[in-house]
Amino acid sequence: MERRIYSAKMRRLAAQAYKRHPMQLCLWVLEQIALRAVALSPLYIALRLGYSMTAALILCLALYLLMIYPLRFRAALTLTRMVRLTDASRLRPASYPARVGAGALRLLLGGVWGMPFAFLIYRLYQYIFVLPGSRFNHDFLAIGAFLGAASEEMQMAVGTLVFFGLIFMSLLLFLYGWWRGAAYDFQLVGNISPIHALHNARRARRLPHVRSALRKNALIHTLLCLPPILLPPLAPYLHLRAMLTGHAMEDLQLLYVFFQAGMVSGGVIYIAAGLFLLLYLPFLPYRKLRNAAVVVNAYADVR
C-alpha cells in the first residue's frame, strides 16, 4: 500500500476509535494513572521519609515488571479490538506469565537504549541531593575550561550547557530506541509467544509503509509531548524568578537549595505534576491508538 495513503487511513481509523470509545478510553487512562501511582509509591515514600533511594528504585522496577508491563499487553488487546479492520473475535488475552515475559523483553530492549540517559539523570540526582554544591561547580567549571572558555562565569555556563545538552541527546537516543519497539507493543502475545511476537515486530518494522507510518507517528507524538515536557518547568521558574540573579554560579546554588528544600515544601512540584498530567493525558489514548492501528492492521496475522 502507498505509504501516504496507508498512514492517512490509519490516522482516520485511530480518530474514529477515539471518538467511538470515550468512556472505555477514559477508564483505561484512569487505570494507567492508578497503576503507576502504586508502582512509583516506593520512590515517593523514600523521598518523603528519607529511606534508601536504591531500595526504592529496585522496588519500583519490580512493581513495573510485575504490574505495569503485563497489563500493558492486556491493554494492547483492548486497543487492538478498537482499531482492527478485520474480525477480532479470535483474539484472546495472554496468560499472566506470557505477559510478564513479554514485558520483561520490552523493558530489556528499551532499557539498553536508555542506559546513557539513566546514567546522566542519576548523576544529576547526585549533584542535587548527594554531592556538595562545590562538586558540580567544580565539574562544570572543568568542562568549560576544557572547552576553552575564558572567564569563570563563562566556564560555568558552558559546562552547564554541555551537561544538560548531553542529557537532551541521550533522551533523544532513548526515545529513538523506544520508538523502534512500538511495533512490539501491539503484538498479541495471547495468540503467539513473546519471542515469536518479537520476530513479527521486526518483520512488520521492515515493511516500508509500516516503517514510514511509525516514523510519522513518532514525530507527531513528540510534538504532542513537547508541551507537557516544556511547560511544567514554568511553575518552578515563576516561583524562583524574583530570586534569580543572572549570575550562573549563584543561580545554580539557588536551584540546588530549591530542589533540596523548597521544591516539595513549597508545593511547586505538585503544580508542575498537575500541569504535566493535564497536558499529557488527553492525548495518551490517541497516540496509542495510532500506533495500534498501524501495527495490527498491517501485520497482525503474520505467523
Side-chain angles (χ1 to χ4, degrees), residues 19-47:
K19 294 175 183 177
R20 283 199 308 264
H21 305 280
M23 186 57 64
Q24 192 174 0
L25 290 171
C26 184
L27 291 174
W28 175 75
V29 169
L30 292 176
E31 180 187 49
Q32 301 305 307
I33 295 173
L35 289 171
R36 281 159 177 76
V38 172
L40 294 174
S41 60
L43 188 60
Y44 177 79
I45 293 171
L47 284 171

Side-chain angles (χ1 to χ4, degrees), residues 106-119 169-181 205:
R106 179 70 170 99
L107 185 64
L108 178 64
L109 294 174
V112 169
W113 293 90
M115 288 177 66
F117 179 66
F119 172 78
M169 294 300 294
S170 66
L171 175 60
L172 292 181
L173 181 67
F174 180 33
L175 292 176
Y176 170 75
W178 204 257
W179 162 78
R180 283 175 56 85
R205 202 169 56 237

Side-chain angles (χ1 to χ4, degrees), residues 41-69:
S41 60
L43 188 60
Y44 177 79
I45 293 171
L47 284 171
R48 295 293 293 182
L49 302 182
Y51 294 157
S52 168
M53 288 294 297
T54 301
L57 288 172
I58 292 174
L59 186 54
C60 286
L61 181 62
L63 289 173
Y64 256 76
L65 186 59
L66 296 174
M67 288 175 49
I68 303 300
Y69 278 90

Side-chain angles (χ1 to χ4, degrees), residues 277-297:
L277 294 176
L278 182 66
L279 295 171
Y280 180 80
L281 291 181
F283 299 102
L284 175 62
Y286 178 66
R287 293 192 296 106
K288 295 293 184 182
L289 285 169
R290 281 192 65 157
N291 279 343
V294 169
V295 175
V296 303
N297 289 306

Side-chain angles (χ1 to χ4, degrees), residues 5-22:
I5 296 175
Y6 180 77
S7 182
K9 185 177 181 180
M10 295 304 106
R11 183 176 66 248
R12 289 194 300 270
L13 194 63
Q16 290 168 5
Y18 189 85
K19 294 175 183 177
R20 283 199 308 264
H21 305 280

